Amino acid sequence: MNILIQNGTIVRSDKTFVADIFISDGKISQIGNSLNIQERIDKTIDAKGFYIFPGGIDPHVHMFLPTPAGYSSDNFESGSNAALFGGTTTLLDFVTPKKGQSLFDALKQRMAEAENSLCDYSFHVSPIEWTQKTEKEINECIKAGITSFKVYMAYKGAVGLEDDDLKKVLKAVGKAGGLVTIHCELGDEIDILRDKFVSEGKTEPIYHALSRPVELEAKAVQRVLGFAKEANCAIYIVHVSSKQSLDIIAKAQQSGQKVFAETCPHYLLLDDSEYKGTFMDTVKFVLSPPLRKKEDQDALWKNIQTGFISTVGTDHCPFNLSQKSVGINDFRKIPNGAGGVEHRMTLLYTYGILENKINWNQFVDITSTQAAKIFGLYPKKGEISVGSDADLVIWNLEKENTISVRNHKQNCDLEIYEGFKIRGAPEFVIKGGNLNPDIKQGKFLKRKI
Ligand code: URP
Ligand code: ZN
Ligand code: ZN
């Protein structure tokens, strides 16, 4: 479909300007003020008064994640539909092998699960153990276009890695020139606190939060920075939630270490007061790391402004109330996670841009451009320039709504942003040159180092 978009305000991470965009064959083929179009035009959009920016890239989602409480409630089709509705066109999910399964086998299985994604997609592959074959498998993944890996310092006994194995992963990925993304929380110490609380009869969701204090996140960050330096491996710390962790990361960045930080909308907009109340009120906020204090929120916004935080991902991982309720008598059984892929752009517009916490260019940077650069997708993704994929959001500044479980597209009967007033929404979403709702299947994105 060839589309001409006229008179829109184009926002990139480096500049803002008014121009026309011509899309043909799924790519941006011209940008300018008096375009010379020789080809057929199938559709013309008058975008006067609208803002146009690159489709969002969510670098951290968990669709159809297997847990003892069942799969996370959005599969690739429903989750990507919600993502598109909110202006996100590319998803980076995860491959989590079972014990004994090769990384490459797990990748093939995950590719089949993701086939019905409407967004384009790639994965971070998670070594959950170190075997004699792991280094070879990491290199096979890189050859197949998977250049980032994921390790968990928490969730010991399930997917968490012991420190010695973590060091081996960092060394192997560092040698190959890839990137390791890391969930930083000290799992052993958390497990001791969890068991202690339950043995004292403290079983409610608030004890999930109390068993995962900021110090255990910050210590994990400090530890892994040391390991990564030793291994000469670039790292990306996912869902950074606290000021303490950020201070350590900022210092490492200033010293020249290659470390990126991601935070999530829930750490910017929600705080630990959400854990006060009944099981039904509080269980939806059981996610890791837990929600922190207001001071942490301020530090996160500041670190976005200064650039120490590169990306805002959602960690989209919704579970229905029936799934969360398996932990009614024991918070340790509650599956961790909450949805958010649909709301990231509008939340960052409403509570970031409109509240003068970030400007438009920073908005584009943290929702799209940086993720593309860090994860080997740039400039195909994350940019409005000639030759880039035509993944664009045409944003209506005036739309207003209230987030609710009653109207969200995410497949979940819980909503952590229930009642949040939002401004701004996509008027049109274009992916690969196709307009929503005619967007067809997404593509697997082979990435490069
Ligand atoms: O609570 C969370 N974040 N669940 C998803 C898995 C993870 O740790 O990212
Ligand atoms: Zn995590
Ligand atoms: Zn996650």
Side-chain angles (χ1 to χ4, degrees):
M1 188 179 203
N2 292 350
I3 306 173
L4 175 63
I5 309 169
Q6 293 181 307
N7 304 313
T9 300
I10 297 171
V11 199
R12 305 182 3 149
S13 63
D14 57 347
K15 58 183 172 185
T16 306
F17 55 102
V18 175
D20 300 342
I21 299 176
F22 183 59
I23 294 170
S24 71
D25 281 339
K27 303 263 180 217
I28 297 173
S29 75
Q30 292 188 53
I31 303 172
N33 286 314
S34 14
L35 302 183
N36 175 16
I37 299 167
Q38 306 292 334
E39 294 155 79
R40 181 193 78 245
I41 298 172
D42 300 308
K43 183 166 176 75
T44 301
I45 297 172
D46 179 8
K48 194 165 181 340
F50 294 141
Y51 277 48
I52 304 173
F53 47 81
I57 300 173
D58 193 331
H60 187 162
V61 299
H62 304 269
M63 304 302 172
F64 200 59
L65 174 79
T67 77
Y71 288 92
S72 58
S73 58
D74 261 320
N75 59 25
F76 278 88
E77 189 172 9
S78 63
S80 61
N81 182 50
L84 281 178
F85 188 79
T88 289
T89 51
T90 296
L91 301 174
L92 299 183
D93 203 291
F94 297 85
V95 174
T96 315
K98 295 184 189 68
K99 284 237 156 62
Q101 187 182 23
S102 84
L103 299 183
F104 208 71
D105 265 11
L107 172 61
K108 277 195 274 181
Q109 185 185 328
R110 197 69 174 145
M111 296 270 256
E113 288 167 359
E115 242 172 18
N116 57 3
S117 173
L118 299 169
C119 293
D120 289 350
Y121 55 92
S122 181
F123 307 101
H124 314 287
V125 169
S126 267
I128 60 157
E129 60 192 338
W130 183 266
T131 71
Q132 284 179 335
K133 297 190 188 136
T134 308
E135 180 157 12
K136 190 168 152 269
E137 292 171 4
I138 285 173
N139 291 322
E140 271 174 358
C141 288
I142 291 177
K143 265 198 215 121
I146 301 281
T147 55
S148 54
F149 297 82
K150 167 78 179 283
V151 293
Y152 295 87
M153 296 173 83
Y155 310 134
K156 290 286 182 69
V159 293
L161 273 185
E162 295 302 331
D163 286 352
D164 279 347
D165 290 347
L166 168 52
K167 287 184 200 169
K168 288 175 191 155
V169 171
L170 288 164
K171 200 147 180 233
V173 176
K175 198 162 118 195
L179 179 72
V180 175
T181 75
I182 305 154
H183 175 131
C184 287
E185 286 187 300
L186 294 185
D188 293 332
E189 288 77 349
I190 286 170
D191 287 342
I192 291 169
L193 286 174
R194 280 153 64 90
D195 294 347
K196 178 176 159 295
F197 281 133
V198 172
S199 73
E200 293 166 354
K202 296 170 175 164
T203 59
E204 298 85 1
I206 189 173
Y207 294 102
H208 166 80
L210 295 175
S211 62
R212 310 182 92 93
V214 238
E215 293 74 22
L216 294 184
E217 178 186 341
K219 279 186 183 161
V221 167
Q222 186 79 66
R223 188 181 293 179
V224 83
L225 280 166
F227 294 167
K229 198 168 182 184
E230 179 81 22
N232 196 18
C233 183
I235 56 171
Y236 173 100
I237 302 183
V238 299
H239 51 43
V240 178
S241 69
S242 69
K243 178 176 185 316
Q244 270 193 37
S245 299
L246 281 168
D247 290 346
I248 297 166
I249 294 167
K251 225 164 136 190
Q253 286 183 2
Q254 281 164 330
S255 79
Q257 185 163 0
K258 199 155 180 208
V259 49
F260 302 99
E262 168 200 273
T263 192
C264 311
H266 45 271
Y267 300 120
L268 293 164
L269 300 173
L270 299 168
D271 65 65
D272 62 356
S273 61
E274 304 289 358
Y275 296 112
K276 292 195 189 105
T278 63
F279 179 86
M280 289 300 166
D281 294 336
T282 58
V283 70
K284 64 183 173 185
F285 301 104
V286 171
L287 38 81
S288 295
L291 303 174
R292 304 299 193 190
K293 306 245 171 268
K294 285 250 184 314
E295 305 86 85
D296 294 298
Q297 293 180 354
D298 296 341
L300 291 167
W301 282 114
K302 254 192 215 112
N303 279 270
I304 291 177
Q305 287 153 12
T306 52
F308 290 120
I309 290 177
S310 300
T311 59
V312 177
T314 59
D315 197 4
H316 180 79
C317 190
F319 293 96
N320 284 314
L321 181 59
S322 60
Q323 297 177 288
K324 291 270 190 192
S325 295
V326 301
I328 182 97
N329 295 316
D330 183 346
F331 70 85
R332 295 174 302 181
K333 298 194 174 133
I334 302 169
N336 284 203
V341 74
E342 178 177 344
H343 309 311
R344 180 177 66 136
M345 310 297 261
T346 189
L347 287 171
L348 289 172
Y349 173 67
T350 308
Y351 296 96
I353 295 181
L354 294 183
E355 295 199 356
N356 292 320
K357 298 229 170 68
I358 52 172
N359 63 38
W360 266 107
N361 308 98
Q362 286 166 327
F363 170 88
V364 169
D365 210 35
I366 58 174
T367 59
S368 187
T369 311
Q370 281 299 327
K373 287 182 174 170
I374 293 168
F375 294 109
L377 292 167
Y378 188 83
K380 179 181 166 68
K381 303 287 186 192
E383 190 57 285
I384 298 188
S385 66
V386 172
S388 294
D389 282 1
D391 295 349
L392 299 171
V393 179
I394 303 179
W395 191 256
N396 182 334
L397 310 173
E398 305 304 333
K399 281 192 180 172
E400 290 186 23
N401 206 349
T402 302
I403 296 179
S404 173
V405 76
R406 290 187 299 278
N407 61 19
H408 71 190
K409 297 277 183 278
Q410 298 171 162
N411 180 36
C412 187
D413 59 10
L414 296 173
E415 174 53 78
I416 57 171
Y417 302 106
E418 185 72 34
F420 268 64
K421 301 250 183 297
I422 40 166
R423 292 271 302 276
E427 185 72 15
F428 298 99
V429 176
I430 299 173
K431 192 193 73 68
N434 285 310
L435 267 177
N436 210 10
D438 292 330
I439 293 172
K440 302 274 167 356
Q441 257 184 336
K443 291 193 189 76
F444 168 67
L445 299 167
K446 267 189 153 198
R447 297 182 279 130
K448 49 187 187 294
I449 291 209

